[in-house]
């Protein structure tokens, strides 16, 4: 009889996995100040998850972000929860794992992986670490294959490659999200992962209905609006990247779009300042600037699986300042950057790409010499006009003094027309290159 009971008990608990035989450590909440929770008896590492019992008997999730002496400092992942002094705090091992799998395709989830699209639970049984898997740097392959994004100016002048990390930099209202939508429509990718971080709530549904229209059959969206706690914005960016890593490990060609990297840095700034970090450049603590390379470096080519993550990050230049610390940090770590010009957008030139200040660091490795020469000729004429713009507009420049400037002035309209493209149109890489070589080739 006893043997039968033991056998039945073993079957009931067979699905449970005990990772450690050590006693489970339970902490107590003793402080709540500025959105930070101080907990005693909870020696867990930074980034570890926790569950805090509320006064109404429910649980909220939290994350360890620092220490003050022997006390752990946690950030709650839920707002306005009824917390009380002495509340029980338990470890949450599942908080650092991301639910992944084919069941995510076509779904919209939040920072914690909960569905937002009212299509029922997400049927994905795989798991992937939220902060990625540490690997050998030599497993990162080179960018040697062209990536078609469907935008003529980028395909021809700033040619992207599979596994490249690209930053789209501009001030507010210049067209970053519109350009991202164009690139989604024209991209050659097996899976598209989109992270909408800190967006206005209205823009999330607008992005789904316009930018991702016709692409949801191969897309995964992680969305966290601006009114959510900063730690959720950071987790959303990490979750979107982790999902992309999972598909890359299975040999997929993944397009990862994160809008925006600046709001992630703002979230890290809020947390860092709350923990007492000293503000450095323009109020950003060191942790806010260190967060960017940690996130961006997770994208790229995996030489073992053959998969790749081509990542596009939007970066908001506060006050159109392209020397902003976030802009400068992002520009230094990515493999190429696209700068959008407010001056061009005010002339109704879209996409408003400032060719002279934009760059693809992998272009020379993935295009032909003829294509490279034509792009260099275009840039030569663009730079000649921009450097002498004031003289030309004031009438101080006399035609005939410099043949390059003369040609740049004569072909200015042709240069701008090459940039113009309807947001609803898609132009292939081959057609883009043929148009460039035909118009500006030697």
């Amino acid at each position: 009889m006893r043997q039968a009971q033991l056998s039945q008990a073993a079957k009931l608990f067979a699905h449970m996995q005990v990772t450690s035989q050590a006693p489970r450590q339970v902490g107590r909440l003793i402080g709540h100040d500025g959105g930070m929770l101080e907990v005693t008896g909870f020696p867990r590492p930074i980034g570890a998850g926790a569950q805090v019992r509320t006064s109404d008997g429910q649980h909220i999730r939290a994350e360890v972000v620092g220490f003050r002496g022997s006390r752990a400092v946690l950030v709650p992942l839920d707002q306005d929860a009824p917390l009380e002094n002495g509340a029980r705090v338990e470890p949450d091992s599942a908080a650092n794992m991301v639910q992944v799998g084919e069941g995510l395709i076509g779904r919209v989830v939040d920072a914690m992986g909960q569905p937002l699209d009212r299509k029922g639970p997400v049927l994905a049984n795989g798991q992937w670490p939220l902060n990625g898997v540490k690997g050998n740097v030599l497993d990162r392959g080179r960018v040697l294959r062209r990536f078609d994004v469907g935008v003529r100016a980028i395909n021809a002048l700033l040619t992207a490659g599979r596994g490249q990390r690209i930053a789209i930099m501009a001030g507010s209202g210049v067209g970053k999200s519109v350009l991202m939508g164009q690139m989604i429509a024209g991209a050659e990718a097996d899976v598209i992962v989109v992270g909408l971080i800190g967006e206005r709530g209205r823009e999330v549904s607008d992005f789904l209905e316009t930018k991702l229209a016709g692409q949801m059959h191969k897309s995964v969206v992680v969305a966290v609006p601006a009114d959510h706690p900063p730690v959720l914005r950071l987790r959303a960016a990490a979750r979107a990247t982790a999902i992309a890593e999972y598909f890359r490990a299975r040999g997929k060609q993944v397009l990862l779009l994160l809008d925006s990297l600046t709001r992630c840095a703002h979230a890290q700034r809020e947390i860092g300042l709350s923990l007492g970090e000293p503000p450095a450049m323009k109020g950003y603590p060191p942790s806010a600037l260190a967060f960017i390379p940690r996130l961006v470096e997770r994208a790229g080519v995996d030489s073992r699986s053959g998969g790749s993550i081509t990542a596009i990050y939007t970066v908001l230049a506060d006050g159109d300042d392209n020397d902003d610390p976030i802009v400068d940090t992002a520009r230094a770590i990515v493999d190429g950057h696209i700068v959008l010009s407010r001056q061009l957008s005010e002339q109704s030139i879209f996409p408003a790409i400032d060719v002279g200040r934009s760059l693809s660091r992998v272009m020379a490795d993935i295009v032909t010499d003829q294509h490279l020469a034509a792009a260099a000729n275009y840039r030569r004429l663009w730079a000649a006009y921009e450097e002498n713009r004031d003289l030309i507009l004031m009438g101080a420049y006399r035609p005939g003094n410099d043949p390059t400037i003369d040609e740049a002035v004569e072909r200015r309209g042709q240069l701008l027309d090459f940039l113009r493209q309807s947001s609803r149109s898609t132009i292939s890489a081959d057609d883009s290159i043929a148009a460039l070589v035909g118009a500006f080739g030697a």
Side-chain angles (χ1 to χ4, degrees), residues 31-62:
H32 188 312
D33 182 23
M36 296 291 176
L37 310 180
E38 291 193 19
V39 179
T40 60
F42 198 72
R44 303 284 293 173
I46 291 178
Q51 289 191 353
V52 185
R53 179 169 294 180
T54 60
S55 60
D56 57 2
Q58 302 297 318
H59 286 87
I60 66 166
R61 287 183 167 182

Side-chain angles (χ1 to χ4, degrees), residues 55-372:
S55 60
D56 57 2
Q58 302 297 318
H59 286 87
I60 66 166
R61 287 183 167 182
E63 180 179 320
V64 179
V65 295
F67 307 102
R68 288 176 184 161
S70 60
R71 303 172 181 177
V73 180
L74 283 67
V75 174
L77 303 182
D78 297 296
Q79 292 179 314
D80 304 323
L83 299 175
E84 60 185 4
N85 189 33
R88 181 184 177 94
V89 182
E90 303 174 0
D92 183 10
S93 58
N96 294 324
M97 301 301 293
V98 174
Q99 186 182 15
V100 291
E102 295 293 333
L104 274 171
I105 301 295
R107 302 303 303 269
V108 182
V109 299
D110 64 10
M112 303 306 296
Q114 299 302 311
L116 297 174
D117 50 13
R118 300 185 181 91
K119 295 181 180 179
V122 177
L123 302 177
N125 299 322
Q127 287 191 325
W128 193 268
L130 179 67
N131 295 314
V133 178
K134 291 186 178 179
N136 190 327
V137 68
L138 297 181
D139 291 334
R140 185 62 53 82
R142 293 178 61 199
V143 178
L144 297 174
R145 296 174 58 195
R146 190 179 68 194
F147 186 78
D148 189 349
V149 297
V151 180
R152 179 173 54 208
I154 298 176
N155 282 335
L157 301 170
L158 305 165
T159 310
R162 290 194 182 276
Q164 184 178 4
R165 289 84 53 88
I166 305 168
I168 301 177
M169 303 172 175
S172 57
V174 182
K176 297 185 298 298
S177 297
V178 174
L179 178 57
M180 181 179 284
Q182 282 185 269
M183 297 172 80
I184 289 174
E188 296 178 341
D190 299 325
V191 180
I192 299 172
V193 182
V194 180
L196 301 176
I197 316 299
E199 291 286 350
R200 293 179 286 272
R202 175 192 61 80
E203 290 186 341
V204 174
S205 58
D206 178 75
F207 194 95
L208 295 175
E209 294 175 11
T210 59
K211 313 298 188 301
L212 276 175
Q215 300 290 336
M216 279 303 295
H217 65 281
K218 60 177 181 179
S219 301
V220 183
V221 179
V222 182
V224 175
D227 59 345
H228 283 52
V231 68
L232 284 181
R233 283 173 260 157
L234 296 179
R235 291 183 74 91
R239 178 174 290 273
T241 306
I243 293 171
E245 286 177 321
Y246 166 81
F247 286 110
R248 177 183 62 184
R250 276 142 188 80
K252 302 287 188 181
Q253 308 303 321
V254 184
L255 174 63
L256 170 65
L257 302 109
L258 205 62
D259 186 13
S260 77
L261 199 61
T262 303
R263 293 189 179 99
C264 294
H266 288 175
Q268 184 61 52
R269 177 174 62 181
E270 290 181 45
I271 294 173
L273 294 177
S274 297
L275 288 172
E277 277 192 75
M281 299 175 63
K282 291 193 176 181
Y284 288 100
S287 63
L289 301 180
F291 168 80
I292 294 175
R294 285 203 311 270
L295 184 68
V296 172
E297 274 298 299
R298 294 170 62 181
V301 178
D302 187 348
S303 59
R304 296 170 299 174
S305 69
S308 67
I309 299 176
T310 305
I312 300 174
Y313 306 94
T314 63
V315 182
L316 178 65
D318 290 332
D320 289 341
D321 181 10
N322 284 304
D323 293 322
D324 179 82
I326 301 302
V327 175
D328 198 45
T329 302
R331 184 167 47 219
I333 195 66
V334 295
D335 304 317
H337 54 275
I338 300 170
V339 178
L340 302 185
S341 166
R342 188 174 298 278
Q343 184 182 44
L344 290 176
S345 70
E346 289 171 349
Q347 299 175 38
S348 297
I349 298 171
F350 295 103
I353 298 174
D354 188 335
V355 176
R357 301 169 70 181
S358 303
L359 177 70
S360 173
R361 291 189 172 100
V362 304
M363 182 174 175
D365 297 328
I366 57 178
V367 303
T368 64
D369 292 341
Q370 184 186 29
H371 178 186
L372 203 61

Side-chain angles (χ1 to χ4, degrees), residues 380-381 384-385 388 392 397-412:
R380 176 180 66 87
L381 297 176
Y385 187 92
N388 298 277
I392 295 169
Y397 172 74
R398 290 186 177 182
N401 287 340
D402 189 314
T404 301
I405 300 176
D406 292 342
E407 185 181 1
V409 173
E410 181 183 350
R411 305 186 69 180
R412 180 63 176 176

